[in-house]
Amino acid sequence: MPEQQRDINKVSPWAADVWEEMTKNGYFDGARPGAAITREEAAAALSRLRKNILKGDK
């Protein structure tokens, strides 16, 4: 039986709300929501989150 491939450019229904929130707030750029995250992408998102926490944003 062939393995089903997912379209990495489409958001899964269960993650749509949080993906919209995180892209709207600048943590991710909105590209490739179904792709594996690299350590570079994780570092960029965590850095943005850290800066917002330090300046008091929620």
Side-chain angles (χ1 to χ4, degrees):
M1 198 179 223
E3 186 178 323
Q4 217 175 15
Q5 298 283 325
R6 107 166 252 196
D7 184 350
I8 65 168
N9 296 304
K10 293 188 180 187
V11 178
S12 297
W14 62 266
D17 291 342
V18 72
W19 183 253
E20 181 181 355
E21 177 187 354
M22 297 313 276
T23 55
K24 189 185 298 183
N25 287 297
Y27 294 108
F28 293 99
D29 64 6
R32 304 174 301 106
I37 190 168
T38 66
R39 290 184 291 176
E40 294 165 323
E41 291 168 325
L46 291 169
S47 175
R48 293 172 190 138
L49 179 63
R50 181 182 170 276
K51 287 176 185 173
N52 283 340
I53 288 171
L54 290 175
K55 71 178 186 179
D57 286 355
K58 295 191 184 329

